[in-house]
Amino acid sequence: MSSVEKALVIRHREVVPDYYELEFIAPEIALEVLPGQFVNIRISDSLDPLLRRPFSVYDVDKKLGSITVFYKVVGKGTKLLSQMPIQKPLDVMGPLGRSFSIPTEADQVFLVGGGVGIAPLVYLSRVLSSEGIKTKVLMGASTAGFLAGKSMFEKFGVPFLVSTDDGSEGLKGRVTQLLAEQLLIDKCDYIFACGPESMLETVTELAMEQNIKGEISLEGHMACGVGACLGCAHLVKTGEGQRYAKICSEGPVFKIGEVLFHSQDER
Amino acid sequence: MSVTDKKTRKKARAQLNLQVNLGGMQLKNPVTVASGTFGYGFEYEPFVDIAGLGAVIVKGTTLEPRMGNPSPRIIETPAGMLNAIGLENPGVDVFIGEYLPALRSRGVTVIANIAGNTMEEYARLAARLDGQPGIAGLELNISCPNVKQGGLQFGTDPVMVKEMVAAVKSQTSLPVMPKLSPNVTDITAIARAAYEGGADCLALINTLMGMAIDVDKRRPVLANTFGGLSGPAIKPVALRMVYQVAQEVPLPIMGLGGIMNTRDALEFLMAGATAISIGTANFVDPMITTQIIAGLQEYMEECHIADINDIIGAALPQ
């Protein structure tokens, strides 16, 4: 069950420019949280910024009772959060949302992350490895300096390949090109992906062409985080047509093929 | 605090009266949650004892299911937020068949919120909900700024407001509470029209119509272009309207608009509201309603007020 905890910040550092790792003690949330779920953090006690901000869980230390989130400074809220000193209490609500499933029948799975979208895949990779599922991570960024999360995969011994838009490391191009290449040369039974919508749309196309099942994690502006306000709606397919699903409570994880993307939405 | 102190306090609390009567609706305390900000209540069960609330005003219900507006539907603004959800809901049959029985079994005081495109739809909804066990009253959404037909247009014309309230009243034995729009020149004229139509109480205010522009894209942020502004940014406007209407119209008022804490709630009660609704603040702090109920009790103890009704309208001119 979700709860709200006053979480003590124990680690907060800028990993690469504008990308931060934030670790805090929240034992109840840490005990329950599954890969793909998120927490809703109140950035300040003041009325501006007003709403909580959602962050997917990057890693969990169940023994210590800590949670790490990984975020990019994109606006007022994350800018303010980046200035949060350690040893301060943070108001954290969670765990929220639907988690990734663990495809126990799969021999090998691919984890595809674009930019800060790598965040929920780190914890997932650890859980998959512990379940004995062979995991290969494909991660993309604009340039080598922004390839965050690499050290985590190195630490956990999860094999990974990279792509950069400028070719400064790994394949020159998009991570979806890397995925297309890998699907030709390696076995993949299941795909997990998180990143910009255009990337998720391409991942969906590639997966469906080859009949590979999988899951994608979406993001969106949220207010409540619990499915009450209907603010974070995203179009999904239904038997008869389409409807809006709540990213916060029906997602953020959706099955590949379930989500309708904006380019498909232009009627 | 010593054990004896705690016991004394608990005893003192038991003697406090927080019950209010809102136009025939008996509420166990004046703290309710605003329609559209609390779903059907279940969403907040990990955080709040929903049966302990004065009432849960559930998400707006229409005759048929509504898909709602495209995204983005919300955007944060300074000390507030804009929303344009577009009344997404599963329709009145699902509400009656699925949600209402579950709420009833939990002992929740439910106020249903109804909306439609035509006056006839409102009347049909009222008739459909009449006699359904577990509904304390009906809130009429005649002020939604986010749907193309109905909504706001009904709430800004006094003649229409009076007709609408009368049409709904003729179809139900439940107390009827029109929710008024602040997007009018004279809120008291609308409030009077609702009174003349036979309203039992009034809810004010709904959101203020606003917008935001994405400077990089040079386009409105919300897919619906306009949205309703809520949150602490609108509190002074809401408070002023409650204060005005309380002096002009002899109906109990449900006050809402940007209430974030106990002192805000007290301001509305003192301005003449019999009960209050918490909306946007639920998003900021999911436990806020429970805290405000406790906060009101603390205030009453400190000020030696035995009955919450004694502070309603305390700030109005004598």
Side-chain angles (χ1 to χ4, degrees), chain A residues 19 72 113-116 139-148 163-169 171-175:
Chain A
Y19 288 77
K72 183 187 178 186
V116 75
M139 55 193 293
S142 54
T143 186
F146 289 155
L147 280 167
S163 71
T164 50
D165 296 348
D166 64 359
S168 51
E169 190 174 336
L171 176 88
K172 183 179 192 300
R174 302 276 171 182
V175 72

Side-chain angles (χ1 to χ4, degrees), chain B:
Chain B
M1 203 191 294
S2 76
V3 177
T4 337
D5 279 351
K6 266 190 187 161
K7 272 188 185 159
T8 325
R9 180 165 274 213
K10 211 170 182 184
K11 201 178 164 195
R13 279 209 182 162
Q15 287 163 352
L16 298 174
N17 177 49
L18 271 92
Q19 264 193 52
V20 293
N21 182 329
L22 187 73
M25 291 184 264
Q26 284 294 339
L27 310 183
K28 45 185 96 72
N29 62 65
V31 181
T32 74
V33 286
S35 179
T37 67
F38 213 71
Y40 294 91
F42 315 120
E43 295 86 343
Y44 277 95
E45 279 192 309
F47 308 101
V48 178
D49 168 22
I50 57 175
L53 297 172
V56 172
I57 309 180
V58 293
K59 175 70 186 170
T61 296
T62 51
L63 276 175
E64 303 296 330
R66 292 254 185 124
M67 201 173 154
N69 289 331
S71 286
R73 291 175 170 186
I74 56 167
I75 183 74
E76 188 181 83
T77 56
M81 62 178 284
L82 290 162
N83 86 79
I85 309 300
L87 279 176
E88 177 182 336
N89 81 97
V92 70
D93 290 338
V94 172
F95 172 64
I96 290 173
E98 289 178 28
Y99 300 140
L100 194 55
L103 288 165
R104 198 165 56 224
S105 73
R106 287 165 168 81
V108 176
T109 305
V110 177
I111 299 178
N113 175 295
I114 60 171
N117 291 337
T118 62
M119 211 169 282
E120 197 216 333
E121 283 184 20
Y122 282 84
R124 280 175 59 198
L125 276 162
R128 185 87 176 77
L129 292 167
D130 189 45
Q132 293 293 339
I135 302 179
L138 294 184
E139 180 173 74
L140 301 193
N141 182 353
I142 52 168
S143 46
C144 181
N146 300 327
V147 290
K148 285 197 176 65
Q149 286 178 296
L152 188 58
Q153 77 193 44
F154 289 122
T156 53
D157 177 353
V159 178
M160 254 184 172
V161 168
K162 185 177 166 181
E163 268 181 51
M164 166 76 81
V165 175
V168 168
K169 277 296 286 184
S170 73
Q171 299 298 317
T172 183
S173 52
L174 290 169
V176 171
M177 174 170 74
K179 186 171 185 178
L180 306 190
S181 170
N183 304 301
V184 294
T185 313
D186 181 4
I187 189 78
T188 62
I190 306 290
R192 208 171 298 115
Y195 170 62
E196 287 166 4
D200 297 282
C201 50
L202 301 170
L204 49 126
I205 60 178
N206 206 321
T207 55
L208 281 156
M209 196 138 74
M211 76 178 293
I213 289 174
D214 184 326
V215 169
D216 298 323
K217 292 181 186 159
R218 303 185 181 185
R219 288 176 65 178
V221 173
L222 297 174
N224 190 53
T225 306
F226 303 134
L229 179 63
S230 65
I234 72 166
K235 198 195 85 181
V237 178
L239 194 63
R240 182 264 294 177
M241 289 185 165
V242 169
Y243 187 83
Q244 277 182 312
V245 170
Q247 293 174 71
E248 294 284 329
V249 179
L251 287 179
I253 296 169
M254 171 82 85
L256 73 155
I259 297 174
M260 297 298 290
N261 52 47
T262 303
R263 292 196 78 82
D264 291 345
L266 285 165
E267 282 194 68
F268 275 83
L269 295 173
M270 289 175 184
T274 296
I276 53 118
S277 275
I278 309 298
T280 303
N282 290 307
F283 308 153
V284 180
D285 180 352
M287 276 104 77
I288 191 65
T289 42
T290 311
Q291 286 164 18
I292 291 178
I293 295 168
L296 290 177
Q297 290 170 327
E298 273 164 37
Y299 172 82
M300 289 167 75
E301 279 165 8
E302 276 165 28
C303 300
H304 305 288
I305 297 163
D307 187 346
I308 193 84
N309 290 281
D310 291 348
I311 60 164
I312 292 167
L316 292 169
Q318 295 306 307

Side-chain angles (χ1 to χ4, degrees), chain A:
Chain A
M1 191 146 83
S2 314
S3 60
V4 177
E5 289 189 71
K6 287 279 174 227
L8 195 70
V9 176
I10 55 169
R11 193 168 57 89
H12 196 184
R13 66 184 189 103
E14 193 170 20
V15 187
V16 291
D18 283 342
Y19 288 77
Y20 290 79
E21 271 180 32
L22 169 70
E23 185 175 7
F24 48 82
I25 302 287
E28 284 182 45
I29 303 172
L31 192 68
E32 295 211 4
V33 70
L34 300 168
Q37 288 188 302
F38 67 96
V39 291
N40 233 353
I41 298 180
R42 188 165 179 197
I43 308 282
S44 92
D45 289 339
S46 80
L47 299 178
D48 188 24
L50 181 67
L51 300 173
R52 289 170 182 269
R53 297 292 191 270
F55 298 90
S56 56
V57 170
Y58 186 56
D59 201 18
V60 182
D61 186 332
K62 303 240 178 201
K63 256 188 222 154
L64 187 62
S66 79
I67 285 175
T68 305
V69 298
F70 175 66
Y71 66 94
K72 183 187 178 186
V73 172
V74 289
K76 189 161 62 181
T78 41
K79 177 81 204 161
L80 207 60
L81 182 63
S82 73
Q83 292 154 6
M84 172 77 65
I86 60 162
Q87 298 303 323
K88 285 271 170 164
L90 199 59
D91 183 333
V92 184
M93 175 180 173
L96 302 170
R98 216 182 67 176
S99 63
F100 288 117
S101 55
I102 305 301
T104 41
E105 72 291 349
D107 288 332
Q108 173 160 280
V109 302
F110 283 2
L111 272 49
V112 189
V116 75
I118 201 71
L121 304 180
V122 170
Y123 178 28
L124 175 66
S125 75
R126 216 155 54 75
V127 172
L128 289 169
S129 299
S130 72
E131 293 288 325
I133 299 165
K134 224 175 129 195
T135 301
K136 186 188 252 186
V137 175
L138 312 176
M139 55 193 293
S142 54
T143 186
F146 289 155
L147 280 167
K150 250 171 54 178
S151 57
M152 297 287 270
F153 295 121
E154 277 163 359
K155 194 168 85 183
F156 302 146
V158 178
F160 63 89
L161 295 167
V162 305
S163 71
T164 50
D165 296 348
D166 64 359
S168 51
E169 190 174 336
L171 176 88
K172 183 179 192 300
R174 302 276 171 182
V175 72
T176 45
Q177 287 168 249
L178 186 59
L179 172 64
E181 276 186 10
Q182 286 298 311
L183 287 175
L184 290 175
I185 58 168
D186 202 358
K187 181 174 160 53
C188 171
D189 304 309
Y190 209 85
I191 297 175
F192 294 97
C194 184
E197 284 221 357
S198 56
M199 178 203 117
L200 296 178
E201 188 172 359
T202 310
V203 169
T204 298
E205 284 164 12
L206 288 169
M208 289 183 81
E209 274 168 24
Q210 310 208 16
N211 267 321
I212 301 170
K213 289 190 175 132
E215 292 163 32
I216 57 174
S217 177
L218 298 180
E219 57 175 17
H221 283 291
M222 290 179 190
C224 70
V226 296
C229 74
L230 314 182
C232 61
H234 201 291
L235 270 185
V236 295
K237 286 177 206 161
T238 64
E240 315 86 63
Q242 54 191 40
R243 68 176 184 95
Y244 288 107
K246 293 162 279 212
I247 295 176
C248 69
S249 60
E250 296 178 69
V253 174
F254 292 90
K255 294 236 175 312
I256 281 181
E258 192 182 1
V259 172
L260 281 165
F261 292 98
H262 193 64
S263 58
Q264 296 170 304
D265 179 35
E266 278 165 351
R267 287 151 293 186

